[in-house]
């Protein structure tokens, strides 16, 4: 007896090929991933103080699919994930074309910076980065905490100015200020001639003095979650955060940082700056160019 296929039976769709290692992503998963990135954009928020943040970090660490999803959300926003850990949280930095990128013009407006002093503020940020992590091993050690003071950074930069002036004299260069000279050669002349503190009638530090410029730079870094204020000594004392170490590590490589470090000025652990040159064995071959925490455009 011949068996006939039931022509009234609905056709069975082809089975969907099994997706190996790619579980279905739900809207709730996407929302959680976006929430984790949002936490990462709050630099002062510490995972230890927010249970949901800590839980999302745990999930990122233990669930590879969720980690890929969160990283993709960050990438779509123009963010680069530097690290995801309990010590740093979801540490992100903005790519140059990201809507979250902080540019020098934005910084200047936030810090009420005179347009003619922008490169001095850039030099201050450069010096804070160099003093925070003076040796390659400091930048590489996750447990290292750098310490800086406003007055120590000022002493550090002024010593750099003296070294640059000596180098210019040795090479027979004109030591008059040149506003269009590139790099540190333009900045040191102006910085050296600027008052360290100035003072108003009520003894407040002048914003345009070099310590006033450094104070604005470190305040910006505190607001960005890169430094923490620890005291008022020496014009203000600060310690680095894990996020700042990651930021400096990520942007290490510019010629300006290399030039500053090659001058041989030795930062010390208490946030001060010694004027003695380093021993040959301790020469500062630090990772070149930890630059600014914002883009130049």
């Amino acid at each position: 007896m011949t068996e006939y296929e039931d022509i009234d039976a609905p056709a069975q769709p082809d089975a969907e090929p099994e997706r190996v290692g790619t579980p279905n992503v739900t809207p709730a998963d996407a929302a959680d991933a976006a929430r984790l990135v949002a936490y990462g954009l709050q630099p002062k928020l510490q995972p230890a103080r927010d249970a949901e943040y800590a839980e999302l970090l745990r999930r990122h660490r233990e669930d590879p699919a969720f980690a890929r999803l969160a990283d993709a959300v960050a990438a779509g926003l123009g963010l680069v994930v530097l690290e995801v850990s309990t010590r740093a949280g979801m540490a992100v930095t903005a790519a140059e074309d990201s809507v979250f990128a902080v540019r020098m013009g934005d910084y200047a407006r936030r810090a009420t910076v005179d347009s003619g002093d922008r490169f001095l503020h850039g030099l201050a940020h450069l010096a804070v980065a160099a003093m925070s992590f003076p040796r390659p091993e400091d930048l590489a050690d996750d447990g290292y905490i750098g310490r800086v003071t406003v007055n120590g950074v000022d002493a550090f930069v002024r010593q750099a100015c003296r070294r640059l002036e000596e180098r210019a004299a040795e090479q027979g260069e004109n030591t008059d200020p040149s506003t269009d000279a590139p790099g540190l050669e333009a900045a040191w002349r102006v910085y050296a001639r600027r008052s360290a503190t100035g003072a108003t009638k009520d003894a407040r530090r002048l914003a345009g003095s070099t310590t006033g410029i450094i104070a604005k730079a470190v305040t910006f870094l505190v607001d960005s979650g890169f430094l923490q204020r620890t005291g008022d000594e020496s014009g203000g004392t600060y310690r680095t955060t894990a996020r700042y170490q990651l930021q400096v590590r990520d942007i290490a490589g510019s010629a300006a940082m290399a030039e500053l470090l090659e001058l041989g000025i030795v930062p010390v652990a208490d946030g001060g700056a010694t004027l003695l040159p380093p021993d040959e064995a301790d020469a500062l071959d630090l990772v070149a160019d930890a630059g600014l925490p914002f883009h130049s455009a």
Side-chain angles (χ1 to χ4, degrees):
M1 181 176 178
T2 305
E3 294 184 2
Y4 296 94
E5 183 179 355
D6 185 355
I7 59 174
D8 294 326
Q12 296 298 321
D14 294 336
E16 183 178 350
E18 183 180 359
R19 296 182 180 180
V20 180
T22 309
N24 292 329
V25 175
T26 68
D29 293 330
D32 285 345
R35 191 173 295 110
L36 178 56
V37 175
Y39 277 124
L41 290 169
Q42 302 176 61
K44 290 186 176 181
L45 184 61
Q46 298 180 13
R49 296 183 179 179
D50 191 294
E52 183 181 32
Y53 191 8
E55 172 59 24
L56 289 172
L57 290 173
R58 181 203 61 76
R59 187 175 174 190
H60 187 284
R61 182 174 63 253
E62 299 179 1
D63 184 347
F66 178 75
R68 289 193 296 271
L69 180 60
D71 293 350
V73 170
L77 293 171
L79 300 171
V80 178
V81 179
L82 302 178
E83 180 175 299
V84 181
S85 66
T86 54
R87 81 180 186 111
M90 186 166 196
V92 296
T93 188
E96 187 172 358
D97 59 350
S98 172
V99 67
F100 296 103
V102 179
R103 306 186 186 282
M104 187 60 188
D106 301 328
Y107 168 78
R109 286 188 291 273
R110 287 169 57 178
T112 59
V113 174
D114 182 90
S115 60
D117 287 346
R118 289 187 182 185
F119 63 98
L120 294 181
H121 283 262
L123 184 58
H125 277 279
L126 198 64
V128 172
M131 289 193 68
S132 295
F133 306 101
R135 301 171 302 173
E137 53 266 37
D138 300 333
L139 200 56
D141 181 2
D142 288 346
Y144 181 82
I145 296 176
R147 290 175 173 80
V148 296
T149 69
V150 169
N151 293 347
V153 172
D154 186 56
F156 179 72
V157 179
R158 288 188 178 278
Q159 176 64 359
C161 291
R162 283 190 284 273
R163 293 288 177 89
L164 286 166
E165 184 176 12
E166 292 169 1
R167 188 167 70 183
E170 291 171 358
Q171 296 174 356
E173 297 177 4
N174 181 9
T175 57
D176 289 333
S178 175
T179 56
D180 60 351
L184 296 182
E185 293 298 337
W188 72 262
R189 297 181 175 98
V190 179
Y191 195 102
R193 298 182 184 188
R194 187 68 61 91
S195 170
T197 57
T200 60
K201 292 182 179 179
D202 56 359
R204 286 182 292 115
R205 184 167 50 201
L206 286 176
S209 67
T210 55
T211 54
I213 288 171
I214 294 165
K216 285 186 177 182
V218 295
T219 297
F220 173 85
L221 292 172
V222 168
D223 292 342
S224 301
F226 295 139
L227 295 178
Q228 294 175 343
R229 189 180 179 98
T230 58
D232 299 325
E233 300 81 8
S234 299
T237 60
Y238 302 84
R239 57 179 283 175
T240 61
T241 66
R243 280 177 173 260
Y244 191 45
Q245 184 182 49
L246 292 169
Q247 180 81 14
V248 173
R249 193 184 290 169
D250 178 66
I251 59 181
S254 75
M257 184 62 143
E259 184 179 0
L260 183 60
L261 292 169
E262 286 170 1
L263 296 175
I265 306 156
V266 186
V268 293
D270 65 356
T274 175
L275 304 186
L276 298 176
D279 296 332
E280 289 299 321
D282 296 325
L284 291 177
D285 55 352
L286 201 157
V287 178
D289 201 23
L292 305 178
F294 37 75
H295 298 283
S296 59

